Amino acid sequence: MAASIDTKNEAENKEAEQVVNPWEVSAKDGGKIDYDKLIDRFGCQRLDQSLIQRLERLTSQPAHVFLRRGVFFAHRDFAEILDAYERGDKFYLYTGRGPSSEALHLGHLIPFMFTKYLQDAFKVPLVIQLTDDEKFLWKNLTIEESQRLARENAKDIIACGFDISRTFIFSDFNYVGGAFYKNMVEVAKRVTYNQAVGIFGFTGEDHIGKVSFPPVQAVPSFPSSFPHLFSGKGNLRCLIPCAIDQDPYFRMTRDVAPRIGYHKPALIESLFFPALQGETGKMSASDPNSAIYVTDSAKDIKNKVNRHAFSGGQDSIEKHRQLGANLEVDIPIKYLSFFLEDDAELEHIKKEYGSGRMLTGEVKQRLIQVLTELVERHRRARASVTEESYCRVPSSFGN
């Protein structure tokens, strides 16, 4: 049974066209990520229109813009979650954040925005893990700094508007122990070192803290890790919205889960939010000009979009009027596809810009408006977050 874990070595994939794992996302020669190849390699399924329509029917809610436009594009067992929901069986949501920066950028917000939609649509509980221990192990941070960043990031996460009565946010340094730790050990005992190397690409130079971490991210998938929330509900299913670079953790988890008496967690996975400079992977918190942050001022956003957002427009107005923009590489169009709610307006912009009737400056101006409104809305919500909001621990999620 142990051999059923996918043991393709990530180290071997260094030689391949692209590398996608929880700590590195890169394509060969600075190219684009090939998501079809990624689906084949990881063994997940593409999210098709029939599943999206079924979600709409079961929840009586329109599909989120991230579903309509293929931002969340892959899944594992999402149909089983919908089957369970249709039978009247509950499930819970689990997502997380590795707190390595002072503030979130827009790419970090995407899973939380989508998770809020799922929580509202299905009216289900949510656990959010802040892996401050992971960032201590992987980054040049002290434990105290990792904990501080977790608290700051938690305020941004709460500002996304989750139902606080159904949401539990925890940091690993504060919470791990008891039933949670017992599940970690159950997982750890069933994954060999060779399997961990095959899944995550660990090398002989990696300290044992890294090798021992994956069970920490695995076990929030099991309801018994939260006895104060899910007492007597050990059969509850779990759905994990996340970016597809987190898939290796949950391939491991899904292999182990049935062997320790749990359902395999289901996943719904997103593509990466591109950097301002172009679609070569995902935004980097280490390059401030590659990202729009939730702390950026209106002036910052305007400058970053105008100066750094890669344009698919032509290099002269005359040529642009003649040939139009290349929408495949244009970052303002890609960002609008994420954040401009109005489908008709987006299609109008794409048609006009692609034909050359609309200029790059006009498209960037509309993007600046959309992002400024989004960030300002987030800033107001964050300002209202209190210490009590973060520290609150629900005694139970009830039914």
Side-chain angles (χ1 to χ4, degrees):
M1 280 189 296
S4 66
I5 295 181
D6 178 2
T7 55
K8 290 180 181 177
N9 197 317
E10 295 294 341
E12 292 174 5
N13 287 321
K14 297 276 185 183
E15 305 302 319
E17 294 180 6
Q18 56 190 12
V19 176
V20 176
N21 62 44
W23 310 286
E24 182 182 358
V25 175
S26 62
K28 189 175 182 181
D29 300 325
K32 291 168 62 173
I33 297 296
D34 186 326
Y35 290 102
D36 288 327
K37 286 185 178 178
L38 203 54
I39 284 175
D40 288 343
R41 197 179 104 212
F42 283 0
C44 45
Q45 296 81 44
R46 189 165 279 280
L47 194 62
D48 61 33
Q49 196 59 36
S50 65
L51 278 177
I52 295 171
Q53 290 169 349
R54 192 172 170 215
L55 179 152
E56 290 182 308
R57 179 174 59 81
L58 289 175
T59 63
S60 301
Q61 298 288 328
H64 192 278
V65 65
F66 293 163
L67 288 173
R68 298 200 306 270
R69 298 182 189 157
V71 174
F72 278 80
F73 73 103
H75 75 101
R76 292 181 184 272
D77 292 346
F78 185 52
E80 290 191 16
I81 289 288
L82 296 181
D83 290 344
Y85 185 77
E86 192 163 24
R87 289 193 304 267
D89 296 338
K90 293 287 187 179
F91 65 92
Y92 72 100
L93 296 162
Y94 156 40
T95 193
R97 159 88 182 126
S100 60
S101 59
E102 194 80 30
L104 306 190
H105 60 55
L106 296 185
H108 295 141
L109 279 188
I110 284 164
F112 295 112
M113 293 169 72
F114 186 62
T115 301
K116 173 182 162 43
Y117 161 80
L118 292 174
Q119 185 183 50
D120 291 346
F122 289 101
K123 297 180 173 54
V124 290
L126 163 66
V127 296
I128 300 174
Q129 179 182 44
L130 298 170
T131 55
D132 44 6
D133 52 343
E134 177 201 20
K135 293 309 173 185
F136 168 71
L137 292 169
W138 262 267
K139 303 283 186 179
N140 186 26
L141 296 170
T142 63
I143 288 178
E144 292 72 23
E145 181 67 359
S146 299
Q147 290 180 295
R148 187 187 72 78
L149 292 175
R151 293 181 73 81
E152 289 304 308
N153 285 190
K155 295 171 187 174
D156 279 318
I157 292 167
I158 293 167
C160 292
F162 296 107
D163 178 351
I164 293 300
S165 69
R166 297 175 185 265
T167 302
F168 176 49
I169 303 178
F170 67 97
S171 73
D172 289 340
F173 278 131
N174 290 337
Y175 185 75
V176 170
F180 193 101
Y181 182 68
K182 288 178 184 175
N183 280 338
M184 284 171 48
V185 175
E186 292 276 15
V187 171
K189 188 174 181 178
R190 289 164 176 82
V191 181
T192 69
Y193 175 69
N194 282 344
Q195 288 168 339
V197 168
I199 298 164
F200 298 103
F202 296 130
T203 71
E205 301 303 308
D206 286 315
H207 57 69
I208 61 174
K210 291 183 178 182
V211 181
S212 67
F213 175 76
V216 185
Q217 189 158 325
V219 302
S221 310
F222 309 143
S224 67
S225 297
F226 307 99
H228 65 295
L229 302 177
F230 300 125
S231 179
K233 298 176 182 175
N235 208 35
L236 205 60
R237 292 179 182 272
C238 177
L239 173 62
I240 305 169
C242 62
I244 199 167
D245 60 334
Q246 300 300 303
D247 190 87
Y249 282 118
F250 302 113
R251 292 205 303 279
M252 178 194 78
T253 309
R254 284 167 56 82
D255 181 83
V256 172
R259 292 189 272 144
I260 57 176
Y262 296 112
H263 291 296
K264 294 181 179 184
L267 284 87
I268 184 164
E269 300 176 313
S270 73
L271 43 74
F272 303 116
F273 191 62
L276 282 167
Q277 286 86 348
E279 195 174 21
T280 56
K282 63 179 182 178
M283 281 180 154
S284 170
S286 60
D287 179 2
N289 288 323
S290 76
I292 304 291
Y293 286 85
V294 295
T295 50
D296 283 347
S297 67
K299 183 179 178 182
D300 291 333
I301 293 169
K302 182 178 180 179
N303 287 341
K304 285 184 178 183
V305 170
N306 282 333
R307 294 179 183 176
H308 300 290
F310 185 82
S311 171
Q314 305 301 327
D315 52 15
S316 71
I317 291 177
E318 293 76 15
K319 195 173 175 183
H320 183 83
R321 295 291 191 201
Q322 179 188 359
L323 300 175
N326 179 355
L327 304 185
E328 286 299 308
V329 300
D330 192 89
I331 288 299
I333 286 293
K334 291 187 183 299
Y335 278 29
L336 286 171
S337 296
F338 279 82
F339 297 120
L340 180 60
E341 287 279 345
D342 189 324
D343 291 338
E345 184 185 358
L346 178 65
E347 287 309 307
H348 174 75
I349 291 172
K350 288 166 77 171
K351 182 179 177 182
E352 294 296 297
Y353 189 38
S355 69
R357 288 189 294 271
M358 183 178 273
L359 299 175
T360 298
E362 296 173 274
V363 178
K364 286 190 172 184
Q365 182 57 38
R366 183 65 183 112
L367 177 62
I368 289 165
Q369 291 172 351
V370 169
L371 297 185
T372 302
E373 289 169 10
L374 171 68
V375 169
E376 182 53 38
R377 203 162 51 239
H378 183 88
R379 190 181 354 267
R380 287 195 302 270
R382 192 187 195 278
S384 69
V385 173
T386 63
E387 201 69 13
E388 290 72 30
S389 305
Y390 172 60
C391 296
R392 181 184 179 281
V393 179
S395 57
S396 171
F397 283 140
N399 295 323

